[in-house]
Amino acid sequence: MTVHRLADSFVDFRSDNTGAAAPEIVDALAAANSGTAAGYGNDRWTELVQRRFSELFEKDVQVFPVATGTAANALALASLSPPWGAVYCSPKAHIETSEANATGFFGAGVKLVLVEGDYGKIAAPALKTTLVATGIGQKHKSQPAALNLTQATDMGAVYRLDEVRALTELAHAYKMKVHMDGARFANALARLGCTPAEATWKAGVDVLSFGVTKNGGLLCDAIVVFSDGIAEPLAYHVRRAGQVWSKMRYAAAQLLAYVEDGLWLKNAARANALAQRIDSGLKALPGVKRAAPIEANEVFLELPPKVMDGMERDGIVFFRRAPTLGRFVCRFNGNEAEVDALLASLRRNLSAAA
Amino acid sequence: MTVHRLADSFVDFRSDNTGAAAPEIVDALAAANSGTAAGYGNDRWTELVQRRFSELFEKDVQVFPVATGTAANALALASLSPPWGAVYCSPKAHIETSEANATGFFGAGVKLVLVEGDYGKIAAPALKTTLVATGIGQKHKSQPAALNLTQATDMGAVYRLDEVRALTELAHAYKMKVHMDGARFANALARLGCTPAEATWKAGVDVLSFGVTKNGGLLCDAIVVFSDGIAEPLAYHVRRAGQVWSKMRYAAAQLLAYVEDGLWLKNAARANALAQRIDSGLKALPGVKRAAPIEANEVFLELPPKVMDGMERDGIVFFRRAPTLGRFVCRFNGNEAEVDALLASLRRNLSAAA
Amino acid sequence: MTVHRLADSFVDFRSDNTGAAAPEIVDALAAANSGTAAGYGNDRWTELVQRRFSELFEKDVQVFPVATGTAANALALASLSPPWGAVYCSPKAHIETSEANATGFFGAGVKLVLVEGDYGKIAAPALKTTLVATGIGQKHKSQPAALNLTQATDMGAVYRLDEVRALTELAHAYKMKVHMDGARFANALARLGCTPAEATWKAGVDVLSFGVTKNGGLLCDAIVVFSDGIAEPLAYHVRRAGQVWSKMRYAAAQLLAYVEDGLWLKNAARANALAQRIDSGLKALPGVKRAAPIEANEVFLELPPKVMDGMERDGIVFFRRAPTLGRFVCRFNGNEAEVDALLASLRRNLSAAA
Amino acid sequence: MTVHRLADSFVDFRSDNTGAAAPEIVDALAAANSGTAAGYGNDRWTELVQRRFSELFEKDVQVFPVATGTAANALALASLSPPWGAVYCSPKAHIETSEANATGFFGAGVKLVLVEGDYGKIAAPALKTTLVATGIGQKHKSQPAALNLTQATDMGAVYRLDEVRALTELAHAYKMKVHMDGARFANALARLGCTPAEATWKAGVDVLSFGVTKNGGLLCDAIVVFSDGIAEPLAYHVRRAGQVWSKMRYAAAQLLAYVEDGLWLKNAARANALAQRIDSGLKALPGVKRAAPIEANEVFLELPPKVMDGMERDGIVFFRRAPTLGRFVCRFNGNEAEVDALLASLRRNLSAAA
């Protein structure tokens, strides 16, 4: 993690987690701060979370608030796989690139198997090829256990529902379970325009990492369990993983505020719209290659190093994911002026480099 | 965890984690909610935590904010022990009774070895006896790795500094490291009247679980590392354990507010004073046996079940730790009237049972 | 493990694993050394083991040959417990005293809970008391998962069948599974005079560590699974634990020879008879206290250090388990002269010390 | 593992582990069966192994006999990597394809990272590219810990010494340790014609899995440690992994016989020579493509399914590694007639398919 030296005044496209939290969520947390409440989730806020999310997903779901997306992913996958199991994921997946072996840790040795596809997606034919060659039932082979789909993907693309269904059907045909890493689930939903149920269990998802932090939350994400047989053992695992707050109400209050009055979808729609504004602006800059379609709130651009140097000098801050790959993330509370500054800097530095 | 059916009006002595958070901490968290900040602890709040705690402990310490005390304990112990190591703890220790095998999980199979003592303490002679019989260097034996001291203990007692030193010297003589579970560290400090440094590294402690939640915090505790060679690998372990928030500033802000202007010690002193008020009141109730000396904010009383039944009917809520053992915890924001209600109910029900 | 400096001529009571292997077993291993055979247990010797053991136990059992008793125990227990589970065992149990945290390793953090009893046994009332206080379903508590019984015990005693049944019924009432550590199972069987079935699954045992090494084997023990739902996942776990030999036939041949024509019971009966000869000899030495009844092939005697010093000078080698506790183990291929030498040395040194 | 239905008379090229053991090794094992010996490796055979291997490798090495190659690999790698470490290996490596997540299990979550190269080798430039992009010191990334080289490779090729050195230098430059999986180390050595020292520590190898089973052994392989700081903790890990036999002398005797009078190299040379006979025979069959150069005792051929069907009907048994890839392994005790039968069948079926 390179810490960029920031100009006095700069425009921040580093990440959705560099941003502030939604004031509604902070207010709700503060409002929960009165009176006593039973510990470890036996409080009325957490009870309400279970009800509210069950309404939201049109199904009796079990919700486990946890501190981070890494915890959500690793606990979810550990709940789906025996220690000798294999989890299939994209080479771009957060669990592969950015979680410091958390899946192996929580899963007592569970292995990640990489499956190719475009833009951080898994391609169904590639998954099929991998599964066919897997050696089902062979005791010396890690056995297919779970499929990990990141929605939106780590390249800013969004799986269409038919793509999700094709993958989950294949997974289930091999008796695997399906985990959706929804660190940017709201952004995907805003893009797809479907219901939360349609995007998840109706499309074959068994467990969802429900991201909050990147879209206006602060200290809490959640695991949402759709399928049977998962939640009961998971309730022990979250506890032994140190992921159950004794003062759970302050986490539950965040989750409640996040989904209250559609805040999560409003936030996501705003962030996506800013990314779309970049997308539109790029049409006037034909030399710039998008590394993936811009479908959520992340923009990946292939840019010469000199152009990125110049943009940084202009006070545009962002992450360089490779020598010629820049990532620009739009936050729910970003604004059009920031996008326009980004586009102007990009234009200027492209001209200079030409 | 039995969820008590609470009367409309009740007096809550269940736990320090059933209470609200200190408004100063909630305010600080809200105040951090402005502008952008680098993720994962590369922000100025977290940097300030490192400085502020180093001043507080009169030593360059490394601070790892984590979500829960269980995470703090298990990560700290895993940083001190190889997988074939043994952690020595009291049979009353939280890591033994209440953390769902977290030490074994984070430590890849690390084992707890129970050592007796009074009131949740470990007695130095008992530790010595255990160590002598341990089989140092014998490959089929778990090897002494870490000593776990809970300060204040899980029975509400407080180790004197000479007791701590005797134990840590013994531990170090056996090449063990020392972990202090300070879930109620502030309460112990308020009792001891010594400096944080005197209570920890000057007394031989290598790593501290620095409790915040029970004394006015909400969603954050911390690991404080005093000794060399521990922090660098731990920095990876906290990350793979899903215990590093991307929006770390909201955790760091809690820690800063907690120690600002001695808030933590003021809170602890108030909770301790309420427990002392119970202690004083018990002098007029000679039939009641304290299960441990009342030295912090917890009160353990041996009581007939009928007396406890009656108290619950009176609206006094608390935890029954055994058929004839009740635990009453004083919160930093409890008050004298609550204590007096407790004492009155106790007196009334003792008379009725007599 | 102290390596005793041995006299030129000495009498060896150190352990049953210091002895040579039964020639029948070595011969069988050598006889298997012809032609080719499919690897990893897909050979006719291993197939025959499954059949032969199923006849022996009067039930379709699954047998997993493994390298050591530690592997057998740890894999068996891991197959019975989730990572947050508790395994109940005696403080004298081999899994507690002598396996270097193997249970925690194979079980991803599984915890041992010690339950008292006489002579290395678990007492049913003590188990009941522990279970009642356990906190079933409480997420912060390790949950009862498996009961570990060592038969014969690590103190040389043998559970009566009614004792076993009382314990397994209690365990099953709490939805636990039962593992029998049968490192000296043959010695127990020889003592009890019952069938293998009566000693195990008919008495409520779910999985057995079937000891071979201590009773004439050399490089192979086995796990025998009686109950459903255990063998299939275990088949993966043994493989990932590096406990499946590619040339399995040489392990299977050992197991076949071990049970052929009752060799195992003959060997055990001889070792037990030697221990009984010591027991008888002790009647003439009223000052010597047996630490446990002598019911299998191990003898534990409380002896003054000077007496043990003298015996060692006499060339009697054995293990000192504590400053005043000596362990003397009779091997299947020991003889009466050795026992008589032991008794003579004991008599002489007791007189000298008197 | 498909169990082939074998013809009454067949020629076995399935694996080197389907073969019988070298009679010298079985004889040595039987010869060890006399008298008593201290357990768990404190015997004179095991002591002699340490000495004999130190002579063989021209260095004070530590040898850990273990049951299987999987155990050797996984324990060796766990001794080189923290749980958040990455082990770099070929996609063809046994640890990746055939050990059921053992590396993750023994290493508490250690991750395998695949690096391309020809014929089961790792290509130094590919390793360099991977390491450059790794994110050294970034806490959310698994950190480079160990390089795994299979010698001979799992495709039957052999690294030249300069290739090994280029890779180990690169690894050490990144502060990684190097593990050589020598399941077929003798075959590689026979090919290279160098000393054991030159092939290992003099070329930068820190730990070697010393394969015995595939080249005439039966129930024992070994870990050989060259570098400092590894053996001491490993001594505990092998014990808690259930990989230390109490009657260790029977394992040590195998290792001694294996290297006595160069038996291991004679065996390997014979197996290699049979593979060379196939290689020569293939020159007359220009349509057959070798999937890798034939440099040890394994032959991988790209063949149409119909040809492989026909060969099986002819009684040639082997493993189909993919629909058009057959693996033929030459055993140390195979013979020229078998090779000639293989070549004849191949020729016949190729003609039939043409």
Side-chain angles (χ1 to χ4, degrees), chain A residues 8 26 53 56 72 86 111 117 123 139 141 151 166 196 198 206 214 219 240 248 259 279 298 306 323 340 348:
Chain A
D8 281 354
V26 176
F53 274 63
L56 205 62
K111 182 173 166 178
K139 303 301 183 284
K141 299 281 193 189
Q151 179 74 309
E198 286 165 349
D206 297 290
K214 292 182 194 295
L219 295 170
R240 82 172 186 133
M248 184 63 95
V259 300
D279 198 44
E298 291 194 295
K306 283 192 176 177
D340 295 345
R348 187 162 49 244

Side-chain angles (χ1 to χ4, degrees), chain C residues 21-288:
Chain C
E24 296 90 336
I25 297 177
V26 175
D27 291 350
L29 185 154
N33 195 37
S34 159
T36 66
Y40 298 103
N42 298 306
D43 61 83
R44 62 185 172 82
W45 290 265
T46 309
E47 192 187 325
L48 192 52
V49 165
Q50 307 297 332
R51 283 218 307 279
R52 190 68 193 87
F53 275 63
S54 293
E55 291 161 14
L56 205 62
F57 283 97
E58 306 169 48
K59 190 182 209 316
D60 273 347
V61 299
Q62 288 102 344
V63 185
F64 296 90
V66 293
T68 67
T70 293
N73 287 340
L75 283 159
L77 288 167
S79 78
L80 301 181
S81 177
W84 44 87
V87 169
Y88 296 81
C89 69
S90 161
K92 306 289 188 190
H94 202 263
I95 60 169
E96 161 66 10
T97 65
S98 308
E99 301 189 355
N101 293 9
T103 312
F105 170 43
F106 285 82
V110 165
K111 181 172 167 179
L112 302 183
V113 174
L114 307 184
V115 184
E116 295 291 339
D118 292 332
Y119 319 130
K121 295 182 184 177
I122 286 176
L127 179 59
K128 176 86 185 190
T129 301
T130 301
L131 286 169
V132 164
T134 281
I136 307 291
Q138 294 185 19
K139 302 300 182 285
H140 62 303
K141 299 281 192 187
S142 42
Q143 295 296 305
L147 175 66
N148 166 265
L149 304 176
T150 312
Q151 179 75 310
T153 79
D154 294 275
M155 294 294 288
V158 173
Y159 282 101
R160 296 189 317 270
L161 291 190
D162 64 295
E163 289 177 318
V164 173
R165 280 191 300 261
L167 287 161
T168 63
E169 280 165 19
L170 183 52
H172 291 150
Y174 276 82
K175 299 188 182 164
M176 297 163 71
K177 298 284 186 185
V178 179
H179 167 245
M180 180 169 277
D181 176 355
R184 294 186 180 89
F185 180 62
N187 302 91
L189 218 53
R191 168 78 182 191
L192 292 168
C194 68
T195 67
E198 287 164 350
T200 53
W201 63 273
K202 288 186 175 175
V205 174
D206 297 290
V207 183
L208 172 70
S209 289
F210 183 85
V212 178
T213 303
K214 293 182 194 295
N215 188 38
L218 46 159
L219 294 170
C220 177
D221 292 293
I223 304 166
V224 180
V225 177
F226 303 112
S227 299
D228 292 340
I230 296 168
E232 205 269 341
L234 183 52
Y236 292 99
H237 201 169
V238 292
R239 191 67 174 266
R240 83 171 185 133
Q243 290 285 346
V244 179
W245 285 285
S246 59
K247 290 184 172 171
M248 184 63 94
R249 58 169 142 167
Y250 299 98
Q254 294 176 55
L255 295 178
L256 290 171
Y258 182 61
V259 300
E260 181 79 10
D261 290 332
L263 176 65
W264 63 315
L265 297 175
K266 278 182 260 176
N267 282 0
R270 266 182 293 174
N272 286 7
L274 292 172
Q276 285 306 312
R277 189 178 182 93
I278 296 177
D279 198 44
S280 299
L282 290 175
K283 287 174 188 152
L285 299 167
V288 181

Side-chain angles (χ1 to χ4, degrees), chain A residues 66-352:
Chain A
V66 294
T68 66
T70 293
N73 287 340
L75 283 159
L77 288 166
S79 77
L80 300 181
S81 177
W84 45 87
V87 169
Y88 296 82
C89 69
S90 160
K92 307 289 189 191
H94 202 262
I95 60 169
E96 162 67 11
T97 65
S98 307
E99 301 190 354
N101 293 10
T103 312
F105 171 43
F106 284 82
V110 165
K111 182 173 166 178
L112 302 183
V113 174
L114 307 184
V115 184
E116 294 292 338
D118 291 333
Y119 320 129
K121 295 182 184 178
I122 286 176
L127 178 60
K128 175 87 185 187
T129 301
T130 301
L131 285 169
V132 164
T134 281
I136 306 291
Q138 293 185 21
K139 303 301 183 284
H140 62 304
K141 299 281 193 189
S142 41
Q143 295 296 304
L147 174 65
N148 166 265
L149 304 176
T150 312
Q151 179 74 309
T153 79
D154 294 276
M155 294 294 287
V158 173
Y159 282 102
R160 295 190 317 270
L161 290 189
D162 65 295
E163 289 176 319
V164 173
R165 278 191 301 261
L167 287 161
T168 64
E169 278 165 20
L170 183 52
H172 291 150
Y174 276 82
K175 299 188 182 164
M176 297 163 73
K177 298 283 187 185
V178 179
H179 167 245
M180 180 169 278
D181 176 354
R184 295 187 179 88
F185 180 63
N187 302 92
L189 217 54
R191 169 78 182 190
L192 292 168
C194 68
T195 67
E198 286 165 349
T200 55
W201 64 273
K202 287 186 176 175
V205 174
D206 297 290
V207 183
L208 171 70
S209 290
F210 183 85
V212 177
T213 303
K214 292 182 194 295
N215 188 38
L218 47 159
L219 295 170
C220 177
D221 291 294
I223 304 166
V224 180
V225 177
F226 303 112
S227 299
D228 292 339
I230 295 168
E232 206 269 341
L234 183 52
Y236 291 99
H237 202 169
V238 291
R239 191 66 174 266
R240 82 172 186 133
Q243 291 283 348
V244 178
W245 286 284
S246 59
K247 291 185 172 170
M248 184 63 95
R249 57 170 142 166
Y250 299 97
Q254 293 176 55
L255 296 178
L256 291 171
Y258 182 62
V259 300
E260 180 79 9
D261 288 333
L263 175 66
W264 62 314
L265 297 175
K266 277 181 262 177
N267 282 359
R270 266 181 294 175
N272 286 7
L274 292 172
Q276 285 306 312
R277 189 178 181 93
I278 297 176
D279 198 44
S280 299
L282 291 174
K283 288 174 188 151
L285 300 166
V288 180
K289 179 144 187 270
R290 295 163 188 77
I294 298 170
E295 297 174 341
N297 67 321
E298 291 194 295
V299 175
F300 288 80
L301 301 180
E302 294 183 13
L303 295 171
K306 283 192 176 177
V307 171
M308 294 197 279
D309 293 345
M311 294 176 74
E312 286 179 350
R313 278 192 304 270
D314 288 347
I316 310 295
V317 294
F318 58 96
F319 280 123
R320 294 178 174 206
R321 282 300 179 86
T324 60
L325 183 65
R327 186 189 75 161
F328 305 84
V329 187
C330 298
R331 303 187 316 281
F332 80 95
N333 59 359
N335 58 51
E336 285 75 6
E338 289 171 345
V339 167
D340 295 345
L342 164 66
L343 289 167
S345 171
L346 185 54
R347 189 178 311 112
R348 187 162 49 244
N349 286 289
L350 284 166
S351 302

Side-chain angles (χ1 to χ4, degrees), chain B residues 208-283:
Chain B
L208 170 71
S209 289
F210 183 85
V212 177
T213 303
K214 293 182 194 294
N215 188 38
L218 47 160
L219 294 171
C220 178
D221 292 293
I223 304 168
V224 180
V225 177
F226 304 111
S227 300
D228 292 340
I230 296 168
E232 205 269 340
L234 183 53
Y236 292 100
H237 201 169
V238 292
R239 191 67 174 266
R240 83 171 184 134
Q243 290 285 346
V244 179
W245 286 285
S246 59
K247 291 185 172 171
M248 183 63 94
R249 57 170 143 168
Y250 300 98
Q254 294 177 54
L255 295 178
L256 290 171
Y258 181 62
V259 299
E260 179 81 9
D261 289 332
L263 175 66
W264 61 314
L265 297 175
K266 279 181 260 176
N267 282 359
R270 266 182 293 174
N272 286 7
L274 293 172
Q276 285 305 312
R277 189 178 181 93
I278 296 177
D279 198 43
S280 300
L282 290 174
K283 287 175 189 153

Side-chain angles (χ1 to χ4, degrees), chain A residues 12 18 21 33 36-37 100 213 217 247, chain B residues 12 18 21 33 36-37 217 240 247:
Chain A
D12 195 337
T18 59
N33 196 36
T36 67
T213 303
K247 291 185 172 170
Chain B
D12 194 338
T18 60
N33 196 37
T36 67
R240 83 171 184 134
K247 291 185 172 171

